[in-house]
Amino acid sequence: MNIYGKHLAIKTFKAGETIIHEGENGDSFFILYSGEVLVSSMTPSGDSIALATVSDTQNIFFAKLL
């Protein structure tokens, strides 16, 4: 982990806080260390629809690229 340490940062998010906004460009890679994340998407009418809830017990990682 030492070779990656200078490139990694721990971020903490509050319950209900958005981590990634659908459709925005990004350059981040996330590893879910603790807690749960709700994955949702916007419908064409602008409503949010829940796709999944993932937790730290599932060894989840996700990225916001391009």
Side-chain angles (χ1 to χ4, degrees):
M1 190 72 149
N2 286 341
I3 61 172
Y4 302 110
K6 64 182 178 182
H7 301 288
L8 299 176
I10 295 174
K11 288 190 171 188
T12 303
F13 297 91
K14 296 178 183 175
E17 187 175 357
T18 300
I19 299 172
I20 297 174
H21 292 275
E22 184 176 2
E24 289 185 352
N25 292 337
D27 61 356
S28 300
F29 181 84
F30 297 89
I31 300 170
L32 180 56
Y33 178 74
S34 177
E36 292 183 340
V37 173
L38 173 66
V39 180
S40 62
S41 183
M42 299 299 287
T43 65
S45 63
D47 297 320
S48 179
I49 184 168
L51 302 176
T53 300
V54 294
S55 72
D56 54 358
T57 61
Q58 296 169 299
N59 299 318
I60 295 298
F61 57 89
F62 53 98
K64 179 180 178 183
L65 305 171
L66 300 175

